[in-house]
Amino acid sequence: MSGQSLLVPGELSPVRSVPGKIRRPEYVGKPLPAPYTGPEVQSDETVELMRIAGRIAAQAMEEAAKHIAPGVTTDELDRVAHEFMVDHGAYPSTLGYREFPKSLCTSVNEVICHGIPDSTVLRDGDIVNLDVTAYINGVHGDNNATYYCGDVDEESRLLVERTRESLNRAIKAVRPGRQVNVIGRVIESYAKRFGYGVVRDFTGHGINSSFHSGLIIPHYDSPHATTVMRPGMTFTIEPMLTLGTHEHDMWDDGWTVVTKDRKRTAQFEHTLVVTDTGAEILTLP
C-alpha cells in the first residue's frame, strides 16, 4: 500500500450559495431533520421523480470526478458538483443536513465516509470517494463511487475494484420477498474472500422524500435486518470495505470517519427501487 502520510483537516471555504428559486429540503436551517413518517413503498410517480434526482446526482458526481488529479483540492471538487446541481435546478442534499457545511462528501484514503471538502490537496496515488446526493421535485437521489488519483498502487486498485463488485453482487441479490439481510450476507461473504473488513456502523438507508427514512440496510449479515423487501421500496446500498479493521475513529469535526488502523477503505453506492423481479438502479447518469 502507498506509504503516503495520513490526512489532517484542512481549511473550509465559505458556504456556497443556492439560488432562492431552488426548493430546499425541510431540514435546511435546522439542527436535525424531521422524522420520516411516510411509507417505505413509493408510488410510481415518486419513483419517476427519484429517477430525475438520481440522474442529476450521478451526472454531478461524474462531472466532479473529471477534475480529480494531483494538486486539486477537495474543495474544488465540491465547487464543481455544487454548481452542476444548482445549474440543473437541484439542491445539494448534504448542504445543511445536520449542519454539514458542504455539497458533497470527499473521503480520501483512510476516510471511510463523510469527509468534508476543504483545502486538502489530492496527491498522486490517492483514492478518493465522492458521495453526491441531489434533491429536486421533493425527493432525493444518492450515489457515491471511489476514484483513482494518478498512479495508484495495486493493493488499493484491487480494493476499489472489489468494493465496486460487492455492490454489483448485492444489487443482484435484491428480490421482493427476501429479507434485507441477504444484501449484507452477499457483501460480507465476498469481502471475506480477500480478508477485507466490512464497516458495520454506517449503512445503507431508506430514501425518498426523506434523505434517510429510518430503514437500515446493513452491509454485513445482520440477524436483526429482517425487513422484507417489497416492490416500490427505495433505498441505498453502499458497502464500505477496508484493507484492515472495520472499526473506526471520528475526527473532532463530528463527521469525518477514519479507519482505526488508518488503512485504506473504499465505497460505492446506488439508490435502488425494488421491482417485481429484482432491483432498478435510480442513480444512473
Side-chain angles (χ1 to χ4, degrees):
M1 188 184 73
S2 172
Q4 290 177 338
S5 59
L6 298 177
L7 293 172
V8 295
E11 297 295 322
L12 290 179
S13 65
V15 174
R16 293 188 163 87
S17 62
V18 177
K21 65 181 180 181
I22 293 179
R23 179 178 173 183
R24 271 80 167 148
E26 58 80 22
Y27 51 74
V28 174
K30 302 175 183 177
L32 296 171
Y36 178 68
T37 57
E40 296 295 351
V41 172
Q42 305 303 309
S43 68
D44 291 344
E45 292 76 14
T46 297
V47 171
E48 178 56 34
L49 294 176
M50 290 182 67
R51 288 191 186 96
I52 296 170
R55 183 165 58 248
I56 292 172
Q59 291 172 340
M61 185 174 72
E62 281 195 342
E63 189 63 30
K66 293 176 184 176
H67 294 75
I68 292 173
V72 174
T73 65
T74 55
D75 186 68
E76 173 65 8
L77 304 179
D78 181 78
R79 181 194 66 78
V80 173
H82 176 95
E83 292 183 358
F84 186 95
M85 285 185 274
V86 167
D87 288 347
H88 288 78
Y91 185 92
S93 300
T94 61
L95 185 61
Y97 178 76
R98 296 178 179 264
E99 302 180 338
F100 190 85
K102 292 296 174 180
S103 298
L104 81 165
C105 300
T106 50
S107 300
V108 181
N109 295 345
E110 69 270 19
V111 179
I112 295 172
C113 58
H114 304 158
I116 301 175
D118 58 18
S119 61
T120 296
V121 176
L122 296 177
R123 302 161 296 181
D124 185 62
D126 284 341
I127 57 173
V128 55
N129 179 275
L130 304 182
D131 192 339
V132 181
T133 311
Y135 178 80
I136 188 170
N137 299 320
V139 297
H140 301 267
D142 185 5
N143 67 165
N144 77 55
T146 303
Y147 299 90
Y148 307 127
C149 180
D151 186 17
V152 173
D153 66 273
E154 183 67 8
E155 186 178 36
S156 297
R157 284 184 176 275
L158 286 173
L159 173 68
V160 171
E161 291 172 7
R162 290 164 176 168
T163 305
R164 181 190 291 112
E165 176 62 15
S166 77
L167 173 59
N168 293 338
R169 290 178 179 227
I171 292 171
K172 291 176 182 177
V174 172
R175 291 284 188 281
R178 290 180 174 176
Q179 295 180 347
V180 297
N181 58 11
V182 70
I183 294 168
R185 188 176 308 133
V186 166
I187 293 167
E188 186 173 37
S189 63
Y190 179 72
K192 280 185 173 180
R193 288 168 50 182
F194 311 104
Y196 295 153
V198 181
V199 173
R200 302 167 76 90
D201 293 327
F202 299 90
T203 69
H205 53 88
I207 184 169
N208 35 66
S209 60
S210 173
F211 195 170
H212 299 85
S213 72
L215 174 65
I216 301 298
I217 309 294
H219 302 120
Y220 64 99
D221 188 3
S222 170
H224 306 294
T226 57
T227 300
V228 174
M229 292 181 271
R230 294 175 287 160
M233 288 179 68
T234 49
F235 53 81
T236 72
I237 304 176
E238 45 188 297
M240 293 153 263
L241 305 187
T242 69
L243 288 176
T245 181
H246 69 270
E247 297 180 344
H248 71 275
D249 292 323
M250 179 84 72
W251 280 6
D252 290 342
D253 61 23
W255 282 105
T256 306
V257 180
V258 296
T259 53
K260 187 170 283 292
D261 56 14
R262 303 303 190 265
K263 291 185 177 181
R264 287 189 170 189
T265 176
Q267 182 184 18
F268 284 84
E269 173 188 23
H270 274 306
T271 295
L272 312 170
V273 60
V274 180
T275 67
D276 290 337
T277 58
E280 177 193 345
I281 299 172
L282 299 179
T283 38
L284 292 175

